[in-house]
Amino acid sequence: MPEERGTRSLDPIQQLTVAYAYFVKGVQQQVLADLMSVNAGRISEACKRVGSVIGLTPPGYKDREKEDQ
């Protein structure tokens, strides 16, 4: 049986760490989820939370906004 991913929340330091890896280093959320042993939703939440505080949007969002206009 495959090992289930934890549903635990990331602590603030872990949230900053995954947001840095995602926004600055370009590491994919699924890869970060595997490394942190959580589901990808927890990584997404952390990136959104940290990104909104420091004014960053996830990579690719600006390109999609331009296409929608």
Side-chain angles (χ1 to χ4, degrees):
M1 206 172 200
E3 185 178 319
E4 290 187 29
R5 291 175 192 229
T7 57
R8 67 179 174 81
S9 296
L10 299 172
D11 67 39
I13 298 299
Q14 291 172 323
Q15 290 180 20
L16 288 171
T17 301
V18 297
Y20 173 80
Y22 180 67
F23 287 115
V24 177
K25 296 295 185 176
V27 180
Q28 295 178 354
Q29 289 185 5
Q30 188 62 44
V31 172
L32 293 167
D34 289 341
L35 291 172
M36 301 298 286
S37 298
V38 297
N39 63 38
R42 298 291 182 211
I43 302 299
S44 179
E45 290 171 356
C47 291
K48 285 180 184 177
R49 185 174 296 124
V50 173
S52 68
V53 170
I54 59 176
L56 290 176
T57 55
Y61 278 26
K62 291 180 181 178
D63 295 334
R64 285 186 223 140
E65 288 175 3
K66 288 177 185 175
E67 291 174 4
D68 291 340
Q69 295 176 356

